[in-house]
Amino acid sequence: MSVDPKQPQERLRCLEHTVLRQEKLAALGRHAAGLAHEMNNPASAGRRATEQLTQAMDAQEDLSVALDQWRLTQAQRQLLLRTCRQSQGRGATRDMDPLTRGDAEDALATWMDAKGVVNAWDLSPTLLDAGIGEAQLEPLTQALPAQALPDALAWLEALVRTRALLAEVRQSTTRLSELAGAVKSYTHAGKEQPEPVDVHEGLENTLLLLNYKLKHGVEVKREYDRSLPRVQALPGMLNHVWTNLVDNAIDAMGGKGHLTVRTAKDEDSLLVEVVDDGPGVPPELLPRIWEPFFTTKPMGQGTGLGLDIIRRVIVDRHHGDVRVESRPGRTAFQIRLPLK
């Protein structure tokens, strides 16, 4: 009875694929709590903004009725709308220190109070935050009847607040979409046939996925050569490689330090380098770091499969090269993928 020589190869490939998927799921499980927190922040911000948006729209409708009594001309209404649309949006004064910001709010409120605006101190924070100050409001005082100015400025503040809240909802949903896209990209099983892959997109998804670990003390420096072409690769496998490398670098630095992610052309290869300024790998352990189940992490914190999978994915599946250079204060993992 003859044995098909392809059967052992197929079994090995199936086993590697299974191990890779299990490791990816295990890694995603380790990141689940951090990802949930990352998603909860924009979700909560979006929910608060929508609640405030309802109040702002109700106020705007009521103020529109009050403004109608002054029979403003088309030109006067257009001036009000133009003042709103030329505003800089929420956060225009975020660079001000608290004392300067407080003085600016008081000055604007005092100016409006002198014009007969009763609730000037309630309106000034929103207007100032959108970059609307005395200089932007002065044309309104000249174009509108003095009696109509309080209702006009109140209506303007409600419109500015509505637009700012809409921008906040858009930012929150965009952030959620980015995080969901990063998770989807990470968990993508990939195809058996390579496809053109932009490594920068995968690296950015990885940094987004691990932002919950980066934002507490890791400064990321990107040195990308955006002129590099796409490479034929398995995107899901490459994303797992980038996640392992960045996650290991963060752990090596103890969550605080400098991380550099660099891409460049190296002869006929595309080079991806992940560099951290942690303590480095002891010289006597360097020859063993690619061994299956070998880990320098404490018991229960590492499977020892991460670097072995990186080697299998890059060398065996993509015919590339993996190297590491390490000394105290600088550890660089280098991935080379063939461009042809």
Side-chain angles (χ1 to χ4, degrees):
M1 178 177 175
S2 62
V3 178
D4 186 351
K6 292 184 178 180
Q7 287 185 359
Q9 297 177 7
E10 290 298 327
R11 291 196 190 98
L12 180 59
R13 174 166 290 194
C14 182
L15 179 60
E16 288 180 345
H17 187 67
T18 301
V19 170
L20 176 61
R21 293 192 64 176
Q22 289 177 342
E23 175 63 15
K24 286 170 67 175
L25 289 174
L28 193 59
R30 293 194 296 270
H31 300 312
L35 280 170
H37 184 70
E38 282 290 293
M39 287 185 158
N40 181 64
N41 287 341
S44 298
R47 184 173 62 251
R48 287 195 302 270
T50 53
E51 292 172 354
Q52 295 172 12
L53 186 60
T54 302
Q55 299 172 3
M57 293 180 70
D58 288 344
Q60 186 181 343
E61 291 169 355
D62 294 340
L63 290 165
S64 294
V65 173
L67 195 60
D68 285 343
Q69 66 178 312
W70 301 111
R71 308 289 182 184
L72 298 184
T73 66
Q74 187 71 13
Q76 290 170 329
R77 288 185 174 275
Q78 288 179 347
L79 179 60
L80 269 171
L81 287 172
R82 194 159 58 247
T83 303
C84 174
R85 290 171 181 170
Q86 290 175 349
S87 67
Q88 300 175 36
R90 176 170 288 191
T93 57
R94 63 165 54 93
D95 293 335
M96 287 185 179
D97 63 82
L99 184 60
T100 304
R101 167 64 189 256
D103 291 342
E105 286 183 9
D106 288 345
L108 180 59
T110 301
W111 181 86
M112 289 192 294
D113 187 57
K115 303 294 184 182
V117 180
V118 178
N119 55 340
W121 269 264
D122 294 330
L123 305 183
S124 63
T126 303
L127 294 174
L128 188 67
D129 200 32
I132 299 177
E134 296 176 29
Q136 290 74 29
L137 296 179
E138 188 61 44
L140 292 175
T141 65
Q142 299 175 9
L144 301 178
Q147 302 93 326
L149 191 62
D151 287 337
L153 293 187
W155 179 87
L156 176 63
E157 186 272 346
L159 182 58
V160 168
R161 180 154 42 99
T162 299
R163 290 168 65 92
L165 288 168
L166 281 172
E168 194 169 317
V169 172
R170 183 171 61 250
Q171 291 172 359
S172 299
T173 53
T174 299
R175 178 65 175 174
L176 285 170
S177 178
E178 290 173 347
L179 287 167
V183 174
K184 181 179 179 181
S185 174
Y186 178 80
T187 55
H188 176 51
K191 301 177 181 178
E192 283 302 317
Q193 296 300 320
E195 61 187 66
V197 174
D198 181 359
V199 297
H200 302 106
E201 181 180 341
L203 290 168
E204 284 301 303
N205 280 334
T206 294
L207 295 173
L208 183 61
L209 185 74
L210 295 175
N211 182 65
Y212 75 97
K213 297 182 72 173
L214 291 166
K215 66 183 181 181
H216 297 299
V218 177
E219 181 180 337
V220 179
K221 182 179 181 181
R222 297 166 172 84
E223 296 180 357
Y224 293 158
D225 181 355
R226 292 286 189 176
S227 67
L228 291 170
R230 292 172 177 259
V231 295
Q232 289 293 117
L234 300 165
M237 288 189 174
L238 281 191
N239 288 337
H240 190 55
V241 168
W242 312 142
T243 304
N244 270 340
L245 289 177
V246 174
D247 195 24
N248 285 345
I250 298 170
D251 290 343
M253 294 184 292
K256 298 183 184 298
H258 298 82
L259 176 71
T260 301
V261 183
R262 186 168 73 92
T263 62
K265 184 178 180 181
D266 185 10
E267 298 181 350
D268 292 332
S269 297
L270 185 151
L271 169 69
V272 177
E273 191 172 36
V274 177
V275 185
D276 68 74
D277 60 358
V281 181
E284 64 274 12
L285 298 182
L286 272 176
R288 299 192 59 196
I289 62 172
W290 306 109
E291 296 178 7
F293 305 108
F294 178 79
T295 178
T296 59
K297 296 180 180 179
M299 182 70 69
Q301 295 186 18
T303 62
L305 289 174
L307 293 180
D308 175 57
I309 286 176
I310 288 174
R311 183 186 60 79
R312 289 176 180 272
V313 168
I314 299 301
V315 178
D316 298 344
R317 301 301 296 272
H318 292 86
H319 310 293
D321 179 62
V322 293
R323 303 177 192 176
V324 60
E325 298 173 356
S326 185
R327 65 174 186 269
R330 188 183 190 276
T331 297
F333 280 88
Q334 300 173 343
I335 304 296
R336 288 173 174 83
L337 296 167
L339 288 172
K340 296 182 180 179

